[in-house]
Every structure is written in C-alpha cells, then in structure tokens.
C-alpha cells in the first residue's frame, strides 16, 4: 500500500505551510503530496485565504525532488480545458515528470458564487467534465507536429498545436473518483489511471471498487490496469490523550468521528488501513487537516515511523 499525504489548504494555510508539509512528506518517505482545489473554506475562518492549486504545485515542483504531486480534485468548472492542459503539462515539466491530475465535476456552489465562477446543473457539470477529460488527454496524446481538433457541446478546439507535452512516459496519470454509480465509473474506465473513493467507509470502498471493475470489464478494459485509491481523514496519536488533542484541533472532539476517519494509536490505524486494503485500496490518501499548526510535522513523523512500516 502506498501512503500519500493529502491537504485541504482552503481551511487555512499559506504556501509556506504547504511547503513545510511537502518537504516533510518527502523527507519521511511518503509517496506523494496532494492538495484539494478549492477557493472557499468549509470550516473556520479560512485565513489567510485560498491558494491556487496549480500555482502551489508549480512552486513545490521546484522545491521537491522525489514525491509525486497532484490534486484531489481539480474542478472542471474552474478552468477551460485547453489552458488546464497547458498548465498541468508545464508543471509536469517543472517537476521532472511527477504530476498527477485528479479531476472532478465540481460540487461546492458557494465558492463559485464567491469568485464569479459559473455553476451549471449537475448534468451539465458532468458533461463538461467528460469533454474536459477527452480534451486534456487528447491534447497530451497528439503527436508532436500534429494538431488537435474537438467538437463538443461545450468546448470546441480547432487546429490546436497541442503543446506543451508532459514529460512522463505514457502521459500524466488522470485520477477520477466519487460515489456516483453510473457516470463516474464510466469516465474512470475510459480516461483514468486511478479510481478514487473520497471519504467512504470500508464497505463503501468495497462496493464502489467492485462497480468500477464491472464497468471496466464491460468496456473491454482490464480492471487490474486501474489503480484503486481512497481518501481518508487521519488522526494518529501515541496514546489516547494525544489522539484526543489532535481530534479537538480538527473538529473531531468528543468522539465526533465520521465513518471514513482513520484514528487512534499507530496499531489501531494500521488495523483500519488493513481493512481498507482488504476492500481493494492500493493507495491511501491521508487527509491531514492540521496543516497550519506546527504539530502537523510531528503528526507526519509519527505516521511515517510507526504506521507506514507496518503496511
């Protein structure tokens, strides 16, 4: 099982906070650093304000050397597909080929209205996501010297030089995920290198992974060619007192745990993550919510020293 660190900067974090976490992620042996792509907090005051996901990752691309970097999830509503393909390919070049693009339909209406971003109905958002996936992957896959055209209901490209190109062999991996039972699995089977379940129970993961495998088989794709990942909130402490202190810091005080929270001592967390692995999870995105608190670095150290070696 690969362990990846996943942050939610819109809750309140500067670029320097994220850089500190990314550097510690690399130093302590984790596989990757990922961040959300949001412009409005969902808890707390959100100070000092949002940071842009791809601006952040561009900076981290030059200040790290090993870990993979990416988003869970870039919202298709936020950016036009052509400029998105350019930005992500450039950051891939800047990182030496360590970028992954998690992309979704977008869901949080408040951040759209707060920053003047159109927010269509659910069906149209998924239509746009499907076209964006086709365009982004099509641009990257177009041979050098050739042009790319696309005619869709929402986006039209004509004579695009389809530049720049990613530097990774096989292109930049696409991550698609969610709890949807129909369109999401179909999109993952067609375009994704990884299907990701965000904040679901062990049984949710088992059911959703099975559904995607079935869709892959129906589409003629080997289900084993898809990576299966899960995002879970993590809260680890050396003892019950430390777990409680960290729980209070992230709004989980008084036993206010959610079904997808992975919490407890290192041995307890290893046991829970083992159950996720039995359900089919191959990559665990450990959501660390205490990013702006200096304690987060000790949290990462503890997970790296006493959880990761057991998995």
């Amino acid at each position: 099982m690969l362990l990846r660190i996943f942050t939610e900067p819109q809750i309140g974090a500067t670029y320097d906070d994220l850089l500190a976490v990314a550097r510690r992620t690399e130093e302590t042996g984790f596989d990757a650093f990922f961040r959300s792509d949001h412009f409005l907090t969902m808890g707390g005051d959100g100070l000092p304000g949002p940071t842009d996901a791809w601006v952040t990752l561009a900076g981290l691309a030059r200040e790290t050397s090993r870990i993979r970097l990416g988003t869970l999830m870039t919202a298709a509503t936020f950016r036009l597909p052509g400029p998105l393909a350019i930005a992500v390919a450039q950051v891939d070049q800047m990182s030496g080929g360590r970028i992954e693009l998690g992309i979704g339909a977008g869901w949080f209406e408040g951040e759209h209205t707060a920053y003047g971003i159109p927010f269509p109905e659910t069906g149209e958002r998924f239509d746009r996501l499907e076209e964006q996936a086709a365009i982004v992957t099509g641009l990257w896959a177009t041979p050098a010297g050739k042009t790319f055209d696309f005619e869709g209901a929402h986006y039209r490209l004509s004579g695009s030089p389809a530049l720049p190109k990613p530097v990774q062999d096989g292109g930049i991996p696409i991550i698609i995920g969610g709890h949807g039972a129909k369109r999401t699995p179909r999109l993952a089977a067609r375009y994704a290198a990884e299907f990701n379940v965000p904040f679901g129970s062990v049984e949710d993961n088992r059911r959703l992974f099975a559904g995607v495998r079935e869709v892959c088989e129906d589409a003629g794709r080997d289900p084993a060619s898809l990576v299966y990942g899960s995002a879970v909130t993590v809260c680890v402490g050396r003892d019950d007192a430390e777990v409680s202190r960290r729980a209070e810091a992230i709004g989980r005080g008084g036993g206010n745990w959610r079904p997808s929270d992975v919490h407890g001592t290192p041995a307890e967390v290893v046991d829970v993550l083992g159950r996720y692995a039995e359900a089919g999870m191959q990559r665990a995105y450990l959501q660390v919510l205490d990013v702006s608190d200096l304690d987060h670095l000790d949290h990462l150290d503890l997970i790296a020293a006493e959880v990761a070696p057991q998995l």
Side-chain angles (χ1 to χ4, degrees):
M1 180 193 303
L2 291 177
L3 299 184
R4 297 179 155 191
I5 299 303
F6 171 41
T7 61
E8 300 272 7
Q10 74 279 357
I11 294 174
T14 65
Y15 173 76
D16 286 341
D17 293 328
L18 297 174
L19 175 59
V21 176
R23 283 178 168 165
R24 189 60 63 90
T25 295
E26 183 159 90
E27 292 164 359
T28 49
F30 291 102
D31 177 64
F33 172 92
F34 272 62
R35 61 155 292 165
S36 60
D37 189 7
H38 283 296
F39 295 131
L40 201 65
T41 186
M42 297 148 212
D45 56 24
L47 294 174
T51 50
D52 182 86
W54 288 101
V55 172
T56 297
L57 294 174
L60 296 180
R62 307 302 290 179
E63 300 195 73
T64 59
S65 61
R66 178 189 60 80
I67 51 173
R68 298 190 66 78
L69 302 164
T71 50
L72 284 183
M73 298 284 190
T74 283
T77 50
F78 287 175
R79 300 167 183 88
L80 296 172
L84 176 64
I86 291 170
V88 178
Q90 182 180 359
V91 179
D92 192 55
Q93 292 177 354
M94 293 169 69
S95 72
R98 294 183 285 123
I99 293 300
E100 300 180 18
L101 170 62
I103 187 166
W107 62 270
F108 186 19
E109 184 174 7
E111 66 189 337
H112 292 73
T113 57
Y115 287 97
I117 303 168
F119 187 73
E121 295 298 319
T122 302
E124 182 179 331
R125 296 202 308 277
F126 271 89
D127 291 342
R128 288 179 176 273
L129 169 62
E130 185 164 4
E131 289 190 20
Q132 288 215 2
I135 292 166
V136 168
T137 56
L139 287 167
W140 291 338
T142 298
K146 302 292 185 179
T147 59
F148 177 79
D149 299 304
F150 182 88
E151 184 77 20
H154 302 287
Y155 306 107
R156 295 169 180 81
L157 287 75
S158 178
S160 172
L163 297 171
K165 299 298 185 191
V167 301
Q168 294 184 64
D169 291 338
I172 294 170
I174 300 291
I175 304 170
I176 290 176
H179 293 266
K182 295 181 179 179
R183 296 193 69 174
T184 300
R186 289 200 299 268
L187 287 172
R190 184 171 182 181
Y191 295 108
E194 175 185 324
F195 174 73
N196 187 279
V197 177
F199 309 109
S201 67
V202 170
E203 287 308 313
D204 288 337
N205 277 254
R206 193 187 314 278
R207 171 179 52 82
L208 291 165
F209 289 155
V212 172
R213 291 191 186 97
E214 182 178 345
V215 171
C216 284
E217 290 171 350
D218 291 343
R221 177 176 179 177
D222 180 1
S225 68
L226 198 63
V227 174
Y228 299 88
S230 306
V232 296
T233 303
V234 67
C235 182
V236 188
R238 294 171 181 81
D239 51 35
D240 290 344
E242 189 168 74
V243 173
S244 295
R245 177 171 58 79
R246 289 201 166 118
E248 289 287 346
I250 63 171
R252 300 293 202 272
N256 186 30
W257 302 111
R258 301 175 184 178
S260 61
D261 290 343
V262 177
H263 57 92
T265 62
E268 291 170 328
V269 167
V270 167
D271 178 66
V272 175
L273 289 176
R275 281 183 260 141
Y276 275 94
E278 290 172 0
M281 179 185 70
Q282 297 166 314
R283 289 177 181 162
Y285 293 77
L286 305 180
Q287 185 198 48
V288 178
L289 291 175
D290 51 350
V291 171
S292 61
D293 183 341
L294 290 178
D295 181 57
H296 61 260
L297 298 181
D298 179 67
H299 197 184
L300 294 190
D301 292 345
L302 177 61
I303 297 168
E306 300 192 30
V307 174
Q310 309 303 316
L311 298 168

